[in-house]
Amino acid sequence: AQSVAQPEDQVNVAEGNPLTVKCTYSVSGNPYLFWYVQYPNRGLQFLLKYITGDNLVKGSYGFEAEFNKSQTSFHLKKPSALVSDSALYFCAVRAAVTGANNLFFGTGTRLTVIP
Amino acid sequence: GAVVSQHPSRVICKSGTSVKIECRSLDFQATTMFWYRQFPKQSLMLMATSNEGSKATYEQGVEKDKFLINHASLTLSTLTVTSAHPEDSSFYICSAWATGILNTEAFFGQGTRLTVV
């Protein structure tokens, strides 16, 4: 069975400080891992993904995430938070097998960047 | 990148009526599309997998006769909420996986906020 855990419902960080949004996953075989961001009443916007290769993945808006196979984690990070980064963030996983196109989402983490 | 367009973005309907939501892949073909439902402050819950030219696959607990899905072409899937009730009020989101080189990424529509009064 596939699953994603985002242990923090809410993360608050001061503007300019580094931020981390945590994600751990469970999947059979190799994972495809994703981060999406959602603004109020909007669909999901893609931030970044890990498919294979370098464990450190760089994405949109200065975000990055590190794939850690031994800890089954894929934490989202940004060196310096902006107020405009305040949104709902979802981690998602998909099994890396043909035909397994469904994404499993975490429960989401609401990030608030304080001016 | 690829674009998925969802329409309408917001709809209010009377209890007992039906509402159709469209999901289009604008610049790629999608043999499979997914419909999700999102309750306030909760994650996305997969409702069904829409397969072009065949019947949709519904998740456990989702009523097939209430949430009708049609995927008549490689660029369009529709979700019809039949005989809507206030408890059907929610945010509905569709997604599609592009084929070929883009196959490792899901693209999402803008979402539809359904309010049943």
Side-chain angles (χ1 to χ4, degrees):
Chain A
Q2 298 167 86
S3 65
V4 176
Q6 291 180 244
E8 301 157 316
D9 292 336
Q10 175 82 42
V11 169
N12 296 325
V13 63
E15 185 178 22
N17 282 2
L19 69 87
T20 299
V21 183
K22 296 180 180 178
C23 171
T24 59
Y25 67 90
S26 174
V27 68
S28 298
N30 294 321
Y32 288 172
L33 294 158
F34 304 82
W35 275 101
Y36 288 88
V37 60
Q38 185 181 34
Y39 296 97
N41 291 311
R42 300 289 296 275
L44 273 66
Q45 295 180 31
F46 171 79
L47 278 180
L48 51 80
K49 65 183 176 184
Y50 170 82
I51 303 300
T52 186
D54 194 346
N55 289 344
L56 183 63
V57 178
K58 293 186 182 297
S60 307
Y61 313 119
F63 284 94
E64 60 187 28
E66 185 166 13
F67 170 60
N68 188 316
K69 188 172 184 177
S70 62
Q71 297 184 6
T72 61
S73 67
F74 190 57
H75 302 328
L76 181 70
K77 299 182 179 183
K78 187 173 182 179
S80 178
L82 300 173
V83 173
S84 57
D85 292 331
S86 298
L88 187 58
Y89 290 81
F90 289 101
C91 181
V93 68
R94 167 194 160 186
V97 294
T98 303
N101 284 345
N102 185 28
L103 281 175
F104 290 84
F105 287 88
T107 48
T109 299
R110 184 163 300 281
L111 172 67
T112 301
V113 180
I114 304 164
Chain B
V3 177
V4 173
S5 177
Q6 190 172 339
H7 179 79
S9 59
R10 187 181 296 268
V11 59
I12 301 173
C13 72
K14 292 184 178 181
S15 186
T17 62
S18 296
V19 173
K20 179 184 286 188
I21 303 170
E22 293 186 347
C23 181
R24 294 181 183 274
S25 56
L26 296 186
D27 51 1
F28 67 98
Q29 294 181 330
T31 56
T32 304
M33 292 186 176
F34 299 89
W35 287 96
Y36 294 87
R37 183 174 181 176
Q38 185 181 28
F39 292 99
K41 299 183 179 180
Q42 293 190 28
S43 188
L44 282 71
M45 300 300 296
L46 180 66
M47 297 175 65
T49 302
S50 173
N51 304 300
E52 188 269 334
S54 65
K55 292 183 179 180
T57 305
Y58 290 82
E59 295 300 299
Q60 190 173 6
V62 177
E63 298 176 60
K64 301 178 182 181
D65 296 332
K66 182 165 191 61
F67 298 100
L68 300 179
I69 291 174
N70 184 276
H71 195 153
S73 77
L74 287 171
T75 58
L76 174 64
S77 174
T78 60
L79 168 66
T80 301
V81 183
T82 62
S83 187
H85 288 95
E87 58 265 31
D88 299 325
S89 299
S90 190
F91 194 59
Y92 294 87
I93 305 175
C94 68
S95 78
W97 291 87
T99 55
I101 196 170
L102 296 176
N103 186 247
T104 55
E105 185 175 326
F107 299 92
F108 287 82
Q110 306 94 318
T112 298
R113 170 73 59 194
L114 171 63
T115 303
V116 184
V117 298

